[in-house]
Amino acid sequence: MKQVFTAWLILLCLPNAWAQNYDEAKVPAYVLPEVLKTNAGKEVKSKKMWEDVRRPEILRLFEDNIYGQMPKDLDSIRFTLKKEDKAAMDGKATLKEVAVQVYKNSKSVQINVVLFVPNHAKKPAPVFVLINNRGKDNTDPTRKVKSGFWPAEMVIDSGYAVAAFHVSDLAPDNKETFMNGVLQLYPEQLKADNGMRAIGAWAWGASRVMDYFETDNDLDAENVAVVGHSRGGKASLWAAAQDQRFAVCITNCSGNTGAALARRQFGERITRINTTFPHWFNNNYKKFNDKENELPVDQHMLISLIAPRPLYATNASKDLWADPTGTFLALKNAEKTYALYGIKSKLPLNPPGINVPVPQPPLAYHNREGEHDLTAYDWGNFIRLMKSRP
Ligand code: GTR
């Protein structure tokens, strides 16, 4: 009896814990904010107007209302090759372990990068870089542990370099301690309602790793795909939106405040994400708890910020929490932004079936059979996207 009472008490304390919708018939009617209309109400008809006016407006709206600012000023950045093994993976790759150290206001953070470069492929090599939000074992430099989350051998065999860094180097994924990383360098961000929080810090880290790639002659820094899964996929989207040096963005099962439309209110909702993970997004985002329709943006606009670069969004059939259909629709609603560049989407009108990938640029999508995860199946298709780029 006491246990039943406690369970009820917990449920009552979790706002909306019981209110998640998984029924397509119950998706409310909604109107998406216009991607191609300026804040002043002008139609955006050209690439120039998009780049000069509308794109900066949308970027600002996402900064102010969701992900926070992205500080660009730093005192110095240093790259140290900590370890190198030219005969890694039975001679197929060169392993480099690189420390990226960033200094500001006599504080510093260190991002530990694991990188494998193929020995028998064209160089400089294009790169996949994973924002790792799971255990560090998943990116084991010794390769004693091998995981589908980061199938480094498969990527190397396909002729690409593969890199990873861990989110905890930038901001611990914890509401009490997330400020003990990059935010120590930028304490003013913590005070600002539109300041950077954990997801922003992880995306910032991806850009610092890109700073390193630009200095490594083995790597083709103009062909880097930033990859993230789930919360890491929210960060990969924000990284590519902010930093146009990323040539490709891959967002795997990123769901709410990732690649899925918020206004569908399907699966995870804003109230829930802000309650469970208050350290992920800025203070202003909390104003939109239960008020999806009042947001000045929706996630098709975040995807639009990546145009004309290729974007791959995935889902898993059992991961309704992350709204596979809402992800597909976000991509569809970004097609018109790519069209400004004369790039035609290859997506079908309706979501393709389970395990029917569309791995072609500019807007790639699949819904893999199974659970919320990042697997070799997903990576195999990311490689197909990279190979099919013009
Ligand atoms: C869930 C969260 C999702 C997603 C996921 C993950 O608990 O609600 O938004 O980020 O965690 O990162 O695996």
Side-chain angles (χ1 to χ4, degrees), residues 312 314-318 351-359 365-371 375 377-378 381 384:
Y312 201 143
T314 76
N315 281 104
S317 61
K318 293 188 182 153
I354 294 167
N355 287 349
V356 181
V358 184
Y365 175 87
H366 72 241
N367 191 7
R368 167 181 49 75
E369 185 176 7
E371 311 283 346
T375 69
Y377 174 91
D378 301 311
N381 284 298
R384 286 172 72 187

Side-chain angles (χ1 to χ4, degrees), residues 12 51 80 136 205 260 376:
L12 283 172
E51 288 179 357
T80 315
K136 287 189 181 161

Side-chain angles (χ1 to χ4, degrees), residues 21 27 51 88 90 181 209-210 231 234 238 283 306:
N21 175 40
V27 169
E51 288 179 357
D90 297 325
V209 172
M210 173 59 111
R231 61 197 74 187
K234 306 181 207 292
W238 185 231
N283 295 353
I306 292 162

Side-chain angles (χ1 to χ4, degrees), residues 49-116:
M49 193 164 168
W50 165 252
E51 288 179 357
D52 293 353
V53 183
R54 187 55 174 155
R55 188 179 189 282
E57 278 181 359
I58 295 178
L59 197 55
R60 186 70 198 267
L61 289 171
F62 276 106
E63 264 175 30
D64 283 348
N65 294 293
I66 305 185
Y67 303 100
Q69 300 166 46
M70 192 66 91
K72 306 237 162 29
D73 53 324
L74 36 99
D75 293 340
S76 61
I77 183 161
R78 192 184 299 162
F79 312 115
T80 315
L81 183 61
K82 295 265 178 186
K83 204 172 178 181
E84 186 174 32
D85 176 5
K86 294 197 163 142
M89 294 181 178
D90 297 325
K92 285 197 290 194
T94 295
L95 163 69
K96 299 188 195 191
E97 291 184 56
V98 178
V100 175
Q101 285 159 302
V102 186
Y103 299 84
K104 173 93 179 57
N105 292 336
S106 51
K107 294 262 170 38
S108 72
V109 284
Q110 176 168 317
I111 313 168
N112 300 297
V113 182
V114 179
L115 164 69
F116 287 96

Side-chain angles (χ1 to χ4, degrees), residues 200-212:
W202 304 342
W204 182 93
S207 288
R208 302 295 71 78
V209 172
M210 173 59 111
D211 294 343
Y212 164 71

Side-chain angles (χ1 to χ4, degrees), residues 133-134 229-232 234 253-254 256 268 273 277 280 321 372:
N133 58 296
R134 287 212 180 151
H229 165 67
S230 202
R231 61 197 74 187
K234 306 181 207 292
C253 297
S254 61
N256 188 277
E268 186 172 31
I273 208 166
F277 307 104
W280 281 0
W321 182 244
H372 180 71

